[in-house]
Coordinates of all heavy atoms in Angstrom, one line a residue:
T60 N 14.2 5.7 7.6 CA 14.2 5.0 8.9 C 15.2 5.7 9.8 O 16.4 5.7 9.5 CB 14.5 3.6 8.7 OG1 13.5 3.0 7.8 CG2 14.5 2.8 10.0
L61 N 14.7 6.3 10.9 CA 15.6 7.1 11.8 C 15.4 6.4 13.3 O 14.4 6.6 13.8 CB 15.2 8.4 11.8 CG 15.0 9.3 10.5 CD1 14.3 10.4 10.5 CD2 16.3 9.3 9.7
D62 N 16.4 5.7 13.6 CA 16.4 5.0 14.9 C 15.1 4.1 15.1 O 14.9 3.3 14.3 CB 16.5 6.0 16.1 CG 17.8 6.6 16.2 OD1 18.8 6.0 15.9 OD2 18.0 7.7 16.6
M63 N 14.1 4.6 15.9 CA 13.0 3.8 16.1 C 11.7 4.4 15.3 O 10.5 4.0 15.4 CB 12.6 3.6 17.6 CG 12.2 4.9 18.3 SD 12.0 4.6 20.0 CE 10.9 5.9 20.5
F64 N 11.9 5.5 14.5 CA 10.9 6.1 13.7 C 11.1 5.8 12.3 O 12.2 5.7 11.7 CB 10.9 7.6 13.8 CG 10.6 8.1 15.2 CD1 11.6 8.3 16.1 CD2 9.4 8.2 15.5 CE1 11.3 8.9 17.3 CE2 9.0 8.7 16.9 CZ 10.1 9.0 17.8
T65 N 9.9 5.6 11.5 CA 10.0 5.4 10.0 C 9.0 6.4 9.5 O 7.8 6.5 9.9 CB 9.6 3.9 9.7 OG1 10.6 3.1 10.3 CG2 9.6 3.7 8.1
L66 N 9.4 7.1 8.4 CA 8.5 8.0 7.7 C 8.4 7.5 6.2 O 9.4 7.2 5.6 CB 8.9 9.5 7.7 CG 9.2 10.0 9.1 CD1 9.8 11.4 9.0 CD2 7.8 10.2 9.8
D67 N 7.2 7.4 5.7 CA 7.1 6.9 4.3 C 6.1 7.8 3.5 O 5.1 8.2 4.0 CB 6.4 5.5 4.4 CG 6.5 4.7 3.2 OD1 7.2 5.1 2.2 OD2 5.7 3.7 3.0
V68 N 6.5 8.3 2.4 CA 5.8 9.2 1.5 C 5.6 8.5 0.1 O 6.7 8.1 -0.4 CB 6.3 10.6 1.4 CG1 5.5 11.5 0.5 CG2 6.3 11.2 2.8
D69 N 4.5 8.5 -0.5 CA 4.3 8.0 -1.8 C 3.3 8.9 -2.6 O 2.4 9.5 -2.0 CB 3.8 6.7 -1.9 CG 4.8 5.6 -1.5 OD1 5.7 5.3 -2.2 OD2 4.7 5.1 -0.3
A70 N 3.6 9.1 -3.9 CA 2.7 9.9 -4.8 C 2.5 9.0 -6.1 O 3.3 8.3 -6.5 CB 3.2 11.2 -5.0
Y71 N 1.3 9.2 -6.7 CA 1.1 8.5 -7.9 C 0.4 9.4 -8.9 O -0.3 10.4 -8.5 CB 0.3 7.2 -7.8 CG -1.2 7.3 -7.8 CD1 -1.9 7.2 -9.0 CD2 -1.9 7.7 -6.6 CE1 -3.3 7.4 -8.9 CE2 -3.2 7.9 -6.7 CZ -3.9 7.8 -7.8 OH -5.3 7.9 -7.8
F72 N 0.5 9.1 -10.1 CA -0.1 9.9 -11.2 C -0.6 9.0 -12.2 O 0.2 8.0 -12.5 CB 1.0 10.9 -11.8 CG 1.6 11.7 -10.7 CD1 2.9 11.2 -10.3 CD2 1.1 12.9 -10.3 CE1 3.6 11.9 -9.2 CE2 1.9 13.6 -9.2 CZ 3.1 13.2 -8.8
D73 N -1.7 9.2 -12.9 CA -2.2 8.4 -14.1 C -2.9 9.2 -15.0 O -3.5 10.2 -14.6 CB -2.8 7.0 -13.6 CG -4.3 7.3 -13.0 OD1 -5.0 8.2 -13.5 OD2 -4.6 6.6 -12.1
E74 N -2.9 8.6 -16.1 CA -3.7 9.1 -17.3 C -4.2 7.8 -17.9 O -3.4 7.1 -18.7 CB -3.0 10.0 -18.2 CG -4.0 10.5 -19.3 CD -3.3 11.4 -20.2 OE1 -2.5 12.3 -19.8 OE2 -3.8 11.5 -21.4
I75 N -5.5 7.6 -17.9 CA -6.1 6.4 -18.5 C -7.3 6.9 -19.2 O -8.2 7.4 -18.7 CB -6.5 5.3 -17.4 CG1 -5.2 4.9 -16.7 CG2 -7.2 4.2 -18.1 CD1 -5.5 4.0 -15.6
A76 N -7.3 6.6 -20.5 CA -8.5 7.0 -21.4 C -8.8 8.5 -21.3 O -10.0 8.9 -21.2 CB -9.7 6.2 -21.0
G77 N -7.8 9.3 -21.2 CA -8.0 10.8 -21.1 C -8.2 11.4 -19.8 O -8.3 12.6 -19.6
D78 N -8.5 10.5 -18.8 CA -8.7 11.0 -17.3 C -7.4 11.1 -16.6 O -6.6 10.0 -16.5 CB -9.7 10.1 -16.7 CG -11.1 10.1 -17.2 OD1 -11.5 11.2 -17.8 OD2 -11.8 9.1 -17.1
N79 N -7.1 12.1 -16.0 CA -6.0 12.3 -15.1 C -6.3 12.2 -13.6 O -7.2 12.9 -13.2 CB -5.2 13.6 -15.4 CG -4.7 13.8 -16.8 OD1 -4.0 12.9 -17.3 ND2 -5.0 14.9 -17.4
D80 N -5.6 11.4 -12.9 CA -5.9 11.2 -11.5 C -4.4 11.3 -10.8 O -3.4 11.1 -11.4 CB -6.4 9.9 -11.2 CG -7.8 9.7 -11.8 OD1 -8.5 10.7 -11.9 OD2 -8.1 8.5 -12.2
W81 N -4.5 11.7 -9.5 CA -3.3 11.6 -8.7 C -3.5 11.4 -7.2 O -4.7 11.6 -6.8 CB -2.4 13.0 -9.0 CG -3.2 14.2 -8.4 CD1 -4.2 14.9 -9.1 CD2 -3.0 14.8 -7.2 NE1 -4.4 16.1 -8.3 CE2 -3.9 16.0 -7.1 CE3 -2.2 14.5 -6.1 CZ2 -3.9 16.7 -6.0 CZ3 -2.3 15.2 -4.9 CH2 -3.1 16.4 -4.9
G82 N -2.6 11.1 -6.5 CA -2.8 10.9 -5.1 C -1.5 11.0 -4.4 O -0.4 10.8 -4.9
I83 N -1.5 11.3 -3.1 CA -0.4 11.3 -2.1 C -0.7 10.7 -0.8 O -1.9 10.8 -0.3 CB 0.1 12.8 -2.1 CG1 1.4 12.8 -1.3 CG2 -0.9 13.7 -1.4 CD1 2.2 14.1 -1.5
A84 N 0.2 9.9 -0.3 CA 0.0 9.3 1.0 C 1.3 9.5 1.8 O 2.4 9.4 1.3 CB -0.4 7.9 0.8
A85 N 1.1 9.5 3.1 CA 2.2 9.6 4.0 C 1.9 8.8 5.3 O 0.7 8.8 5.7 CB 2.5 11.0 4.5
E86 N 2.9 8.2 5.9 CA 2.7 7.3 7.0 C 3.9 7.4 8.0 O 5.0 7.4 7.4 CB 2.4 5.8 6.7 CG 2.1 5.0 7.9 CD 1.8 3.6 7.6 OE1 0.7 3.3 7.1 OE2 2.6 2.7 7.8
G87 N 3.6 7.6 9.2 CA 4.8 7.6 10.2 C 4.5 6.4 11.2 O 3.4 6.1 11.5
S88 N 5.6 5.8 11.6 CA 5.4 4.7 12.6 C 6.7 4.8 13.6 O 7.7 5.4 13.3 CB 5.4 3.4 11.9 OG 6.6 3.1 11.2
F89 N 6.4 4.2 14.8 CA 7.5 4.1 15.7 C 7.3 2.9 16.5 O 6.2 2.4 16.7 CB 7.6 5.4 16.6 CG 6.5 5.5 17.5 CD1 6.6 5.0 18.9 CD2 5.2 6.1 17.2 CE1 5.5 5.2 19.7 CE2 4.2 6.4 18.1 CZ 4.3 5.9 19.4
D90 N 8.3 2.3 17.0 CA 8.4 1.2 17.9 C 8.2 1.6 19.2 O 9.0 2.3 20.0 CB 9.6 0.4 17.8 CG 9.9 -0.2 16.4 OD1 8.9 -0.4 15.7 OD2 11.1 -0.3 16.0
A91 N 6.9 1.4 19.8 CA 6.6 1.7 21.3 C 7.4 0.8 22.3 O 7.8 1.3 23.2 CB 5.2 1.7 21.5
T92 N 7.5 -0.4 21.8 CA 8.4 -1.4 22.6 C 9.1 -2.3 21.6 O 9.0 -2.1 20.3 CB 7.5 -2.3 23.5 OG1 6.6 -3.2 22.8 CG2 6.6 -1.4 24.5
D93 N 9.7 -3.4 22.1 CA 10.3 -4.2 21.1 C 9.3 -5.1 20.4 O 9.6 -5.6 19.4 CB 11.3 -5.2 21.9 CG 12.5 -4.6 22.4 OD1 12.8 -3.4 21.9 OD2 13.1 -5.2 23.4
T94 N 8.1 -5.2 20.9 CA 7.2 -6.0 20.3 C 5.9 -5.2 19.8 O 5.0 -5.9 19.2 CB 6.6 -7.1 21.3 OG1 6.0 -6.4 22.4 CG2 7.8 -8.1 21.6
V95 N 5.8 -3.9 20.0 CA 4.7 -3.1 19.7 C 5.0 -1.9 18.8 O 5.9 -1.1 19.2 CB 3.9 -2.6 21.0 CG1 2.8 -1.7 20.5 CG2 3.4 -3.8 21.6
A96 N 4.4 -1.8 17.6 CA 4.7 -0.7 16.6 C 3.4 0.0 16.5 O 2.3 -0.6 16.3 CB 5.2 -1.1 15.3
I97 N 3.4 1.4 16.5 CA 2.3 2.2 16.4 C 2.4 3.0 15.0 O 3.5 3.5 14.8 CB 2.0 3.1 17.6 CG1 1.8 2.3 18.8 CG2 0.9 4.2 17.3 CD1 1.8 3.0 20.0
Y98 N 1.4 3.2 14.2 CA 1.5 4.0 13.1 C 0.3 4.9 12.9 O -0.7 4.6 13.4 CB 1.6 3.0 11.8 CG 0.5 2.1 11.6 CD1 -0.6 2.5 10.8 CD2 0.5 0.8 12.2 CE1 -1.6 1.6 10.6 CE2 -0.6 -0.1 12.0 CZ -1.6 0.3 11.1 OH -2.6 -0.5 11.0
I99 N 0.5 6.0 12.1 CA -0.6 6.9 11.8 C -0.2 7.4 10.3 O 0.8 7.5 9.9 CB -0.7 8.1 12.8 CG1 -1.9 8.9 12.5 CG2 0.6 8.9 12.8 CD1 -2.2 9.9 13.5
G100 N -1.3 7.6 9.6 CA -1.1 8.0 8.2 C -2.3 8.8 7.7 O -3.3 8.9 8.3
A101 N -2.1 9.3 6.5 CA -3.1 10.1 5.8 C -2.9 10.0 4.3 O -1.7 9.7 3.8 CB -3.1 11.6 6.2
A102 N -4.0 10.0 3.6 CA -3.8 10.0 2.0 C -5.0 10.9 1.5 O -6.1 11.1 2.0 CB -4.1 8.6 1.5
Y103 N -4.6 11.5 0.3 CA -5.5 12.2 -0.5 C -5.4 11.7 -1.9 O -4.4 11.5 -2.5 CB -5.2 13.7 -0.5 CG -6.1 14.5 -1.5 CD1 -7.4 14.9 -1.0 CD2 -5.7 14.9 -2.7 CE1 -8.2 15.6 -1.8 CE2 -6.5 15.6 -3.5 CZ -7.8 16.0 -3.1 OH -8.5 16.6 -3.9
Q104 N -6.6 11.5 -2.6 CA -6.7 11.0 -3.9 C -7.7 11.9 -4.7 O -8.8 12.0 -4.3 CB -7.1 9.6 -3.9 CG -7.2 9.0 -5.3 CD -7.6 7.5 -5.2 OE1 -7.9 6.9 -4.2 NE2 -7.5 6.8 -6.4
E105 N -7.2 12.5 -5.8 CA -8.0 13.2 -6.7 C -8.4 12.4 -7.9 O -7.5 12.1 -8.6 CB -7.4 14.6 -7.1 CG -8.3 15.4 -8.0 CD -7.5 16.7 -8.4 OE1 -7.7 17.6 -7.6 OE2 -7.0 16.8 -9.4
V106 N -9.7 12.0 -8.0 CA -10.0 11.3 -9.1 C -11.2 11.9 -9.8 O -11.9 12.8 -9.3 CB -10.4 9.7 -8.8 CG1 -9.2 9.1 -8.3 CG2 -11.5 9.8 -7.7
V107 N -11.5 11.5 -11.0 CA -12.6 12.1 -11.8 C -14.0 12.0 -11.1 O -14.8 13.0 -11.0 CB -12.7 11.5 -13.2 CG1 -13.9 12.0 -14.0 CG2 -11.4 11.7 -14.0
A108 N -14.2 10.9 -10.5 CA -15.7 10.6 -9.9 C -15.7 11.4 -8.6 O -16.7 12.1 -8.5 CB -15.9 9.1 -9.7
A109 N -14.8 11.3 -7.6 CA -14.8 12.0 -6.4 C -13.6 12.0 -5.7 O -12.8 11.0 -5.8 CB -15.9 11.4 -5.5
D110 N -13.2 13.1 -5.1 CA -11.9 13.2 -4.4 C -12.1 12.3 -3.0 O -13.3 12.2 -2.4 CB -11.5 14.6 -4.0 CG -11.3 15.4 -5.3 OD1 -11.1 14.7 -6.3 OD2 -11.0 16.5 -5.1
Q111 N -11.1 11.8 -2.5 CA -11.1 11.0 -1.3 C -9.9 11.4 -0.4 O -8.8 11.5 -0.8 CB -11.0 9.5 -1.7 CG -11.1 8.5 -0.5 CD -11.1 7.2 -0.9 OE1 -10.2 6.6 -1.5 NE2 -12.2 6.4 -0.6
F112 N -10.3 11.5 0.9 CA -9.3 11.8 1.9 C -9.5 10.7 2.9 O -10.5 10.4 3.4 CB -9.6 13.2 2.5 CG -8.7 13.5 3.8 CD1 -7.3 13.8 3.5 CD2 -9.3 13.4 5.0 CE1 -6.5 14.0 4.7 CE2 -8.4 13.7 6.1 CZ -7.1 14.0 6.0
T113 N -8.3 10.2 3.4 CA -8.3 9.2 4.4 C -7.3 9.5 5.5 O -6.1 10.0 5.2 CB -7.9 7.8 3.8 OG1 -8.8 7.4 2.8 CG2 -7.9 6.7 4.8
V114 N -7.7 9.2 6.7 CA -6.8 9.3 7.9 C -7.0 8.1 8.8 O -8.1 7.6 8.9 CB -6.9 10.6 8.7 CG1 -8.2 10.8 9.3 CG2 -5.8 10.7 9.6
Y115 N -5.9 7.5 9.2 CA -6.0 6.3 9.9 C -4.9 6.1 10.9 O -3.8 6.8 10.9 CB -5.9 5.0 8.9 CG -4.6 5.0 8.2 CD1 -3.5 4.2 8.6 CD2 -4.6 5.7 7.0 CE1 -2.5 4.3 8.0 CE2 -3.4 5.7 6.3 CZ -2.3 4.9 6.7 OH -1.1 4.9 6.0
G116 N -5.0 5.2 11.8 CA -4.0 4.8 12.8 C -4.2 3.4 13.3 O -5.2 2.9 13.2
G117 N -3.1 2.8 13.8 CA -3.2 1.4 14.2 C -2.0 1.0 15.0 O -1.1 1.7 15.2
V118 N -2.0 -0.3 15.3 CA -1.0 -0.9 16.1 C -0.7 -2.3 15.6 O -1.7 -3.0 15.2 CB -1.4 -0.8 17.6 CG1 -2.7 -1.7 18.0 CG2 -0.1 -1.3 18.5
N119 N 0.6 -2.7 15.5 CA 1.0 -4.0 15.3 C 1.7 -4.6 16.5 O 2.6 -3.9 17.0 CB 1.9 -4.1 14.1 CG 1.2 -3.6 12.7 OD1 0.0 -4.0 12.5 ND2 1.9 -2.9 12.0
A120 N 1.4 -5.8 16.9 CA 2.0 -6.3 18.0 C 2.3 -7.7 17.9 O 1.5 -8.5 17.4 CB 1.0 -6.1 19.3
D121 N 3.6 -8.0 18.3 CA 4.0 -9.5 18.5 C 3.5 -9.9 19.8 O 4.1 -9.7 20.8 CB 5.5 -9.6 18.3 CG 6.0 -9.2 16.9 OD1 5.2 -9.3 15.9 OD2 7.1 -8.8 16.7
V122 N 2.4 -10.8 19.9 CA 2.0 -11.4 21.0 C 2.9 -12.4 21.6 O 3.1 -12.4 22.8 CB 0.5 -11.9 20.8 CG1 -0.1 -12.5 22.2 CG2 -0.4 -10.8 20.2
T123 N 3.3 -13.3 20.8 CA 4.3 -14.3 21.0 C 5.3 -14.4 19.9 O 5.2 -13.6 19.0 CB 3.7 -15.7 21.4 OG1 3.2 -16.2 20.1 CG2 2.6 -15.7 22.4
E124 N 6.2 -15.3 20.0 CA 7.1 -15.5 18.8 C 6.4 -15.9 17.6 O 6.9 -15.8 16.5 CB 8.2 -16.5 19.1 CG 9.2 -16.0 20.1 CD 10.3 -17.0 20.4 OE1 10.5 -17.8 19.7 OE2 11.1 -16.6 21.4
T125 N 5.2 -16.5 17.7 CA 4.5 -17.1 16.6 C 3.3 -16.4 16.3 O 2.6 -16.7 15.2 CB 4.3 -18.7 16.7 OG1 3.6 -18.8 17.8 CG2 5.7 -19.4 16.8
I126 N 2.8 -15.6 17.1 CA 1.5 -14.9 17.0 C 1.7 -13.4 16.9 O 2.2 -12.7 17.8 CB 0.5 -15.3 18.1 CG1 0.2 -16.9 18.0 CG2 -0.9 -14.5 18.0 CD1 -0.6 -17.3 19.2
A127 N 1.1 -12.8 15.9 CA 1.1 -11.3 15.8 C -0.4 -10.9 15.7 O -1.3 -11.5 15.1 CB 1.8 -10.9 14.5
A128 N -0.7 -9.7 16.3 CA -2.0 -9.1 16.2 C -1.9 -7.6 15.6 O -0.8 -6.9 15.8 CB -2.5 -9.0 17.7
N129 N -2.9 -7.2 14.9 CA -3.0 -5.8 14.6 C -4.4 -5.3 14.7 O -5.3 -6.1 14.6 CB -2.5 -5.7 13.1 CG -3.4 -6.4 12.1 OD1 -3.7 -7.7 12.2 ND2 -4.0 -5.7 11.2

Side-chain angles (χ1 to χ4, degrees):
T60 303
L61 314 162
D62 292 327
M63 62 184 207
F64 295 95
T65 300
L66 301 172
D67 194 17
V68 177
D69 288 287
Y71 86 92
F72 313 89
D73 71 34
E74 181 174 327
I75 300 173
D78 292 331
N79 294 310
D80 300 324
W81 65 274
I83 188 164
E86 182 176 288
S88 64
F89 70 95
D90 296 332
T92 69
D93 289 341
T94 59
V95 176
I97 297 172
Y98 61 91
I99 187 167
Y103 176 80
Q104 181 178 8
E105 182 179 275
V106 295
V107 175
D110 295 351
Q111 185 178 56
F112 174 74
T113 304
V114 64
Y115 60 91
V118 62
N119 295 319
D121 294 332
V122 180
T123 68
E124 287 185 14
T125 59
I126 298 174
N129 66 300

